[in-house]
Amino acid sequence: MSSAKKIVILGQFGVGKTSLTRRFVDQAFSEDYLVTLGVQIKKKTLTLKNGDELSLIIWDIEGTRSVKDTRASYLLGSQAIIYVFDVTRIETYENLAEEIEILKQHNIPIKVLANKSDLADIESVLKYVKEHNLDINYFTSAKSGKNVDKAFNELANELGV
């Protein structure tokens, strides 16, 4: 059996949303920073643990200061959200709890990815996360590929067909 699910990737400017998407879909990485204007859509078909095929239609949304600034039309029809922040820039996760609470109103699965983990002292980030009782699913690196496939595949298997 085969089906498709729309996944939206959100987060502030420069956190690595496009790089994560490119790493997952194309198994590629570039040091060049390209600003996403509007939305960029990519597709990847996976075989789930149960043997079914699932196509992820990944909407890489332009960066915003807050998810409140995201165009509502981008979220229409979404079956899941991936929220990305940059572990090297505290301003991208200091309002994480508030951002996730806003996203929970959509009643769809949300995965939180702490990206650029290859560039930071993870201990200080973990300390902040623990102090603020934040829920992070994966520390990822689009550059090295660390946990990228794992995060997307876990989400795909949760969504099923």
Side-chain angles (χ1 to χ4, degrees), residues 107-156:
N107 295 315
I108 57 177
I110 301 167
K111 293 287 182 202
V112 179
L113 305 184
N115 196 36
K116 303 185 184 181
S117 63
D118 57 308
L119 300 176
D121 170 21
I122 299 302
E123 292 304 316
S124 62
V125 178
L126 285 170
K127 181 180 177 191
Y128 183 93
V129 165
K130 188 174 182 178
E131 287 173 0
H132 293 86
N133 199 27
L134 302 175
D135 188 22
I136 295 170
N137 298 101
Y138 288 101
F139 281 86
T140 58
S141 168
K143 185 175 184 176
S144 72
K146 176 184 173 187
N147 288 329
V148 176
D149 285 349
K150 192 173 186 179
F152 279 91
N153 283 307
E154 179 182 294
L155 181 57

Side-chain angles (χ1 to χ4, degrees), residues 12-15 85-94 116:
Q12 293 187 26
F13 298 96
V15 297
F85 69 87
D86 177 347
V87 297
T88 69
R89 295 174 26 228
I90 193 168
E91 66 270 15
T92 68
Y93 59 94
E94 63 189 353
K116 303 185 184 181

Side-chain angles (χ1 to χ4, degrees), residues 6-20:
K6 177 183 173 183
I7 309 300
V8 175
I9 299 186
L10 300 172
Q12 293 187 26
F13 298 96
V15 297
K17 298 178 300 294
T18 300
S19 293
L20 284 168

Side-chain angles (χ1 to χ4, degrees), residues 13-151:
F13 298 96
V15 297
K17 298 178 300 294
T18 300
S19 293
L20 284 168
T21 302
R22 188 162 182 242
R23 169 60 74 182
F24 175 65
V25 174
D26 303 323
Q27 295 301 305
F29 177 80
S30 173
E31 294 281 349
D32 297 332
Y33 176 69
L34 300 172
V35 175
T36 302
L37 300 175
V39 62
Q40 182 179 25
I41 301 172
K42 289 199 172 252
K43 176 183 171 185
K44 183 166 182 174
T45 302
L46 305 170
T47 300
L48 303 177
K49 290 178 183 175
N50 65 8
D52 290 340
E53 281 195 349
L54 177 66
S55 292
L56 295 181
I57 311 302
I58 303 166
W59 286 47
D60 173 11
I61 307 298
E62 65 189 341
T64 58
R65 293 202 188 284
S66 169
V67 295
K68 292 183 232 174
D69 299 332
T70 302
R71 293 182 193 166
S73 60
Y74 290 156
L75 297 172
L76 285 176
S78 299
Q79 280 86 31
I81 296 169
I82 294 176
Y83 185 89
V84 181
F85 69 87
D86 177 347
V87 297
T88 69
R89 295 174 26 228
I90 193 168
E91 66 270 15
T92 68
Y93 59 94
E94 63 189 353
N95 296 320
L96 180 63
E98 177 185 320
E99 298 282 275
I100 297 305
E101 282 307 309
I102 293 167
L103 293 173
K104 284 181 179 178
Q105 296 171 12
H106 295 280
N107 295 315
I108 57 177
I110 301 167
K111 293 287 182 202
V112 179
L113 305 184
N115 196 36
K116 303 185 184 181
S117 63
D118 57 308
L119 300 176
D121 170 21
I122 299 302
E123 292 304 316
S124 62
V125 178
L126 285 170
K127 181 180 177 191
Y128 183 93
V129 165
K130 188 174 182 178
E131 287 173 0
H132 293 86
N133 199 27
L134 302 175
D135 188 22
I136 295 170
N137 298 101
Y138 288 101
F139 281 86
T140 58
S141 168
K143 185 175 184 176
S144 72
K146 176 184 173 187
N147 288 329
V148 176
D149 285 349
K150 192 173 186 179

